[in-house]
């Protein structure tokens, strides 16, 4: 598993992790690198924690640091889980504490999620082992709200970075004031739970993966984090602390990925600006504009427009009217012909599903694009063209069916796709001219079709 805390969901499985890493690489500047500043490997090699920063062209970027925690399957010598936590780009500082303080008063006042514990001890407190490090003792003291004992785990001239603040807290006095302020703003039932520890053989470095609970054993959302500590080899006290909580509530990973991908691809291939500009014009004209196309725009939610969309969808590929199904609505045959001809053309793009492969993922995958094109052709095709990953195959390279996913290989490589869609397209043209005889001969049906288009946003957009 890979928990990239810039995103809401944990990524599970090697295939999805590989796709994520490919997409991330495609959104980053080529000169960007991640530099490991500190690393701690547990004595049995099952846990690794790193502290890192980002550089571009060899220059460190401000507020681009973080902490990562790895668990390792030593038998296979492979990573079994990873949590990656970047520091906040903005530093909320005490403003974040004020929000927590307001939430604390609500929780303490209503009793929702509050757990009364004798002596102020947390229900999640655990018995420390005889050989516990000062880091473990610090977390235990914090959960008991014994800040005197918590600060006693630090050296006199310690430095502690809470990355939600711009500056480090240097010295035990400043650290204690900070811890007391934080403790006052958190509900009494909130406790830190250590998920994993990485302790170096000489016990001078400790990495921690943790999360917050509300005293009832349930993890609180968006409260995970990773910390890195340096200890004095002689006294065992904490000399330096680097604490990185995950981004809370609003996670910008997807927006950063979209923005970075567009920036890098447009920079490399400016021609991608064409589908972007055409898409913006298309969406504005079809859905928002007044006066360019007839009929009401989509924001007015005109009932007749949505009924027409529903009826055309029911008569998808003309199956319902050809089978004389009782629920098949009556729609102008020329409009049905145009609609289904476009759908058959859009469905032919299923032949390009091989453009989506494990080693060539697209930010906007081909399969959802083809599916969406059955409803709003250009609204889905144009973004796909702008965002697709460029092909990297050499002259003699080949793509094999085994390289594709199950749906992509089954549907995209279906030999009958062309003939089937050609049949639908040809049938749509025939229906345009001769379907539904009650609409009269060509001249009569054409005249009524033009009258319909003069007031119809859906038909004119086709």
């Amino acid at each position: 598993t890979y928990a990239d805390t810039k995103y809401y969901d944990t990524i599970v499985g090697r295939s999805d992790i590989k796709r994520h890493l490919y997409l991330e690489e495609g959104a980053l500047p080529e000169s960007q690198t991640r530099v490991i500043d500190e690393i701690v490997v547990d004595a049995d090699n099952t846990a690794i924690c790193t502290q890192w920063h980002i550089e571009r062209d060899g220059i460190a970027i401000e507020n681009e640091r973080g902490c990562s925690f790895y668990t390792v399957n030593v038998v296979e010598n492979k990573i079994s889980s990873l949590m990656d936590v970047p520091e906040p780009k903005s530093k909320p500082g005490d403003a974040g504490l004020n929000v927590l303080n307001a939430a604390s008063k609500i929780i303490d006042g209503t009793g929702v999620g509050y757990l009364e514990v004798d002596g102020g001890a947390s229900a999640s407190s655990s018995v420390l082992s005889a050989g516990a490090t000062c880091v473990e003792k610090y977390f235990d003291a914090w959960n008991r709200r014994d800040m005197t004992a918590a600060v006693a785990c630090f050296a006199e001239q310690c430095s502690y970075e809470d990355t939600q603040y711009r500056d480090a807290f240097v010295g035990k006095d400043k650290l204690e004031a900070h811890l007391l302020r934080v403790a006052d703003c958190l509900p009494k039932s909130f406790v830190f739970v250590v998920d994993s520890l990485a302790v170096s053989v000489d016990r001078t470095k400790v990495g921690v993966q943790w999360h917050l609970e509300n005293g009832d054993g349930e993890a609180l959302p968006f409260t995970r984090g990773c910390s890195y500590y340096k200890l004095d080899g002689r006294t065992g006290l904490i000399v330096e602390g680097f604490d990185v909580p995950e981004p809370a509530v609003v996670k910008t990973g997807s927006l950063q990925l979209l923005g970075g991908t567009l920036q890098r691809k447009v920079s490399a291939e400016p021609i991608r600006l064409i589908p972007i500009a055409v898409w913006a014009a298309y969406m504005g004209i079809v859905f928002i504009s007044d006066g360019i196309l007839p009929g009401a725009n989509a924001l007015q939610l005109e009932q007749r427009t949505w009924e027409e969309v529903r009826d055309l969808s029911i008569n998808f590929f003309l199956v319902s009217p050809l089978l004389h199904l009782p629920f098949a609505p009556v729609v102008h045959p020329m409009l049905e012909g145009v609609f289904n001809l476009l759908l058959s053309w859009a469905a032919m793009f299923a032949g390009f599903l091989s453009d989506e492969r494990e080693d060539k993922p697209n930010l906007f995958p081909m399969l959802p694009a083809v599916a969406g094109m059955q409803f709003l052709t250009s609204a889905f095709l144009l973004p796909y063209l702008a965002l697709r990953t460029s092909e990297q195959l050499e002259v003699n390279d080949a793509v094999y069916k085994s390289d594709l996913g199950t749906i992509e290989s089954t549907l995209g490589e279906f030999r009958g796709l062309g003939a089937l869609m050609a049949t639908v397209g040809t049938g749509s043209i025939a229906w345009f001219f001769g379907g539904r005889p009650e609409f009269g001969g060509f001249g009569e049906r054409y005249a009524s079709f033009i009258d319909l288009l003069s007031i119809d946003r859906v038909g004119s957009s086709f």
Side-chain angles (χ1 to χ4, degrees), residues 10 73-74 85-86 119 139 193 195 330 371 375 389 394 398 420 445 458:
T10 297
N73 183 323
V74 292
V85 193
F139 274 87
V193 177
D195 300 309
V330 176
F375 302 94
T389 301
E394 301 295 336
L420 178 61
R445 70 172 52 206
V458 176

Side-chain angles (χ1 to χ4, degrees), residues 277-289 376 378-380 382:
V278 173
W279 178 83
Y282 171 85
M283 298 298 286
I285 292 172
V286 172
F287 294 101
I288 302 174
S289 70
L376 293 167
S378 297
F380 287 86
L382 293 169

Side-chain angles (χ1 to χ4, degrees), residues 389-405:
T389 301
S390 297
E391 193 64 78
Q392 301 296 327
L393 293 173
E394 301 295 336
V395 175
N396 296 320
D397 289 343
V399 176
Y400 297 95
K401 193 173 182 179
S402 58
D403 297 330
L404 309 179

Side-chain angles (χ1 to χ4, degrees), residues 1-3 10-23 71 73 76-82 357-361:
T1 61
Y2 178 21
T10 297
I11 306 165
V12 180
R14 290 181 62 181
S15 179
D16 287 344
I17 291 174
K18 185 177 182 179
R19 181 179 189 276
H20 175 78
L21 294 178
Y22 267 121
L23 293 176
T71 57
N73 183 323
E76 299 181 358
N77 195 28
K78 293 180 179 178
I79 298 169
S80 56
S81 69
L82 162 62
R357 306 186 298 277
E358 188 177 71
D359 60 350
K360 185 193 168 297

Side-chain angles (χ1 to χ4, degrees), residues 388-455:
R388 72 176 292 270
T389 301
S390 297
E391 193 64 78
Q392 301 296 327
L393 293 173
E394 301 295 336
V395 175
N396 296 320
D397 289 343
V399 176
Y400 297 95
K401 193 173 182 179
S402 58
D403 297 330
L404 309 179
T406 303
I407 296 178
E408 287 81 1
S409 62
T410 302
L411 181 58
E413 302 305 307
F414 173 51
R415 293 181 181 274
L417 178 65
L420 178 61
M421 291 302 104
T423 301
V424 174
T426 303
S428 298
I429 295 173
W431 189 267
F432 179 92
F433 288 102
R436 301 195 190 278
E438 64 269 26
F439 279 80
F442 177 78
E444 185 179 354
R445 70 172 52 206
Y446 181 74
S448 62
F449 182 49
I450 296 301
D451 289 341
L452 173 64
L453 293 185
S454 68
I455 60 169

Side-chain angles (χ1 to χ4, degrees), residues 319-390:
V319 173
S320 296
L322 287 174
L323 295 178
H324 301 289
L325 298 179
F327 55 80
V330 176
V331 183
H332 198 290
M334 286 190 167
L335 181 60
E336 287 179 311
V338 172
F339 177 74
N340 285 285
L341 178 62
L342 284 175
L343 290 190
S344 63
W345 171 79
M348 290 290 287
F349 278 82
F352 295 103
L353 288 176
S354 59
D355 197 49
E356 183 78 26
R357 306 186 298 277
E358 188 177 71
D359 60 350
K360 185 193 168 297
N362 300 294
L363 182 58
F364 184 21
M366 187 64 179
L367 184 59
V370 172
M373 287 170 64
Q374 299 302 299
F375 302 94
L376 293 167
T377 306
S378 297
F380 287 86
L381 175 60
L382 293 169
Y384 173 79
L385 294 176
L387 291 168
R388 72 176 292 270
T389 301
S390 297

